[in-house]
Amino acid sequence: MVETAISLPNGQSAALLAGPNEENLKVLEEELGVSTVIRGSELIIKGEEEQVNLAKKLLDQLSFMWQNDKSISPKKIKYALYSLKEDPETDLKKVFSEVILTTVRGKTIFPKTIKQREYIKAIETNDLVFGLGPAGTGKTYLAVALAIVALREKSVSKIILTRPVVEAGESLGFLPGDIQAKVNPYFRPLYDALNEMIDFEKYQKYIEKNIIEIAPLAYMRGRTLNDAFIILDEAQNTTPEQMKMFLTRMGEGSKAIITGDLTQTDLPHSKRSGLENIEHILKNIKPIKFVHFSSHDVVRHDLVQKIIEAYEKYGKERK
């Protein structure tokens, strides 16, 4: 057992570091098996040497936050820990300072895990990127944010968001309304992301002028999509034929991002997903980038990560 002390500038810094009800310190204790206590202007950490050193390294790197009166959440502590465990050379200040976009409500969007950072870099440097993995990892959200940035910087002239319209336990024919009213619920996550990132008047203007287009995947057939940032969401619900059709829509100056999670396909059991074997099919074509997310990258409620891990465990036991 070893003990180390971290000096804090003042009581305000100690409060920011500890978090409400000392939740941040509880996360450190649970994740690393150490004990912590604040004495005056010092944080005392006790435990196994390796774990204490990791805690000190993490807090040293995050010190810029409480020194600048920025609050730290338990989730940020977890993301930071996971990042350091994945890559001990991670520069946490750089990770948490990489703001991609500020929403209309002033919320900053930035990579919260190493894998999200890798995904962002892949999108910035490749014309075709696959973001694969469980729900809640920010695959679509980050892609939409980067699409808005590309539009603002005029590196593309339009954004196209598309999804395969596949029923998940309900038949579209029994839903009220015309075809637009029937498909709109499928695109609600995309509408929500856009409305968070662009003010309503600008959003309406973009939609009216087809600068932003949201349409079912079937509407892409026969088109050549030039100078566009294209996002195919929920790609696990494409058939191999639809996937090939989509991939061959890319025109001059376009960038395509494909997101999906093979564990959540809504296709009939008799149909294969267009995501199956796609990495093998395209393995010799460059530059195409595949980024694989895991449950560790889930940025929703903590329960979501635990639920995903429970399903993964159950699936392995069945196999």
Side-chain angles (χ1 to χ4, degrees), residues 180-231:
Q180 193 61 46
K182 290 177 189 289
V183 301
N184 272 348
Y186 286 87
F187 295 96
R188 180 49 51 195
L190 299 175
Y191 289 130
D192 290 344
L194 286 168
N195 288 330
E196 190 177 329
M197 298 173 198
I198 311 174
D199 67 73
F200 185 71
E201 287 185 7
K202 187 170 285 187
Y203 168 76
Q204 288 286 81
K205 177 184 172 184
Y206 284 163
I207 292 289
E208 287 169 8
K209 294 190 173 183
N210 277 331
I211 294 172
I212 293 179
E213 180 183 346
I214 304 175
L217 179 59
Y219 290 12
M220 299 297 112
R221 185 172 294 281
R223 299 178 62 184
T224 300
L225 307 175
N226 293 317
D227 197 27
F229 196 115
I230 315 155
I231 300 172

Side-chain angles (χ1 to χ4, degrees), residues 8 12-19 24-25 38 43 59 66 72 77:
L8 304 168
Q12 171 70 4
S13 296
L16 288 169
L17 168 58
N24 294 339
L25 299 183
I38 291 179
L43 172 66
L59 294 176
W66 66 74
I72 307 173
I77 295 287

Side-chain angles (χ1 to χ4, degrees), residues 4 69 74 81 122 139 149 160 203 213 246 267 273 281 293 304 310:
T4 191
D69 294 332
L81 265 176
K139 303 183 300 294
V149 171
I160 298 172
Y203 168 76
E213 180 183 346
F246 174 79
L267 291 170
S273 168
I281 294 168
F293 293 87
V304 175

Side-chain angles (χ1 to χ4, degrees), residues 11-292:
Q12 171 70 4
S13 296
L16 288 169
L17 168 58
N21 302 317
E22 297 193 343
E23 288 178 357
N24 294 339
L25 299 183
K26 288 174 185 174
V27 169
L28 272 181
E29 293 176 344
E30 290 171 6
E31 296 290 327
L32 296 177
V34 297
S35 64
T36 62
V37 62
I38 291 179
R39 292 180 188 154
S41 60
E42 282 190 332
L43 172 66
I44 310 299
I45 307 172
K46 294 181 182 178
E48 298 297 327
E49 184 175 6
E50 185 179 350
Q51 303 298 76
V52 169
N53 288 341
L54 180 56
K56 187 176 187 307
K57 182 177 182 179
L58 179 139
L59 294 176
D60 284 344
Q61 285 208 45
L62 291 182
S63 62
F64 76 96
M65 299 191 76
W66 66 74
Q67 287 171 357
N68 292 293
D69 294 332
K70 293 181 179 179
S71 61
I72 307 173
S73 66
K75 274 197 170 183
K76 276 186 179 174
I77 295 287
K78 284 188 176 181
Y79 298 149
L81 265 176
Y82 173 64
S83 297
L84 283 178
K85 287 178 180 177
E86 285 283 293
D87 180 5
E89 302 304 314
T90 298
D91 183 342
L92 293 177
K93 183 175 182 179
K94 190 174 181 181
V95 169
F96 288 119
S97 300
E98 287 181 351
V99 176
I100 304 168
L101 183 73
T102 301
T103 70
V104 291
R105 292 187 178 87
K107 171 187 170 187
T108 55
I109 299 173
F110 59 91
K112 296 177 178 177
T113 68
I114 286 179
K115 195 59 71 171
Q116 284 195 349
R117 195 176 178 204
E118 178 189 333
Y119 182 55
I120 291 164
K121 295 298 179 189
I123 292 173
E124 289 174 344
T125 56
N126 294 274
D127 288 337
L128 179 57
V129 176
F130 288 80
L132 309 175
T137 50
K139 303 183 300 294
T140 303
Y141 189 78
L142 290 173
V144 172
L146 289 164
I148 298 296
V149 171
L151 189 63
R152 287 179 179 175
E153 293 178 349
K154 297 184 178 179
S155 56
V156 297
S157 61
K158 58 187 171 184
I159 297 171
I160 298 172
L161 308 173
T162 186
R163 302 175 90 174
V165 176
V166 178
E167 297 96 336
E170 285 186 271
S171 172
L172 279 171
F174 292 104
L175 295 176
D178 58 17
I179 186 62
Q180 193 61 46
K182 290 177 189 289
V183 301
N184 272 348
Y186 286 87
F187 295 96
R188 180 49 51 195
L190 299 175
Y191 289 130
D192 290 344
L194 286 168
N195 288 330
E196 190 177 329
M197 298 173 198
I198 311 174
D199 67 73
F200 185 71
E201 287 185 7
K202 187 170 285 187
Y203 168 76
Q204 288 286 81
K205 177 184 172 184
Y206 284 163
I207 292 289
E208 287 169 8
K209 294 190 173 183
N210 277 331
I211 294 172
I212 293 179
E213 180 183 346
I214 304 175
L217 179 59
Y219 290 12
M220 299 297 112
R221 185 172 294 281
R223 299 178 62 184
T224 300
L225 307 175
N226 293 317
D227 197 27
F229 196 115
I230 315 155
I231 300 172
L232 169 57
D233 192 31
E234 300 289 342
Q236 73 274 6
N237 290 328
T238 62
T239 63
E241 293 77 18
Q242 286 175 320
M243 178 61 75
K244 181 182 177 183
M245 179 272 288
F246 174 79
L247 291 173
T248 54
R249 298 308 93 203
M250 286 182 69
E252 192 69 30
S254 287
K255 185 185 291 282
I257 315 302
I258 298 167
T259 70
D261 175 10
L262 268 172
T263 68
Q264 295 202 49
T265 179
D266 297 315
L267 291 170
H269 292 302
S270 59
K271 289 190 176 180
R272 286 194 307 114
S273 168
L275 277 186
E276 283 185 38
N277 302 320
I278 192 68
E279 199 162 354
H280 177 74
I281 294 168
L282 303 179
K283 65 181 179 181
N284 294 322
I285 303 177
K286 294 181 180 180
I288 298 175
K289 182 72 174 176
F290 288 83
V291 180
H292 294 272

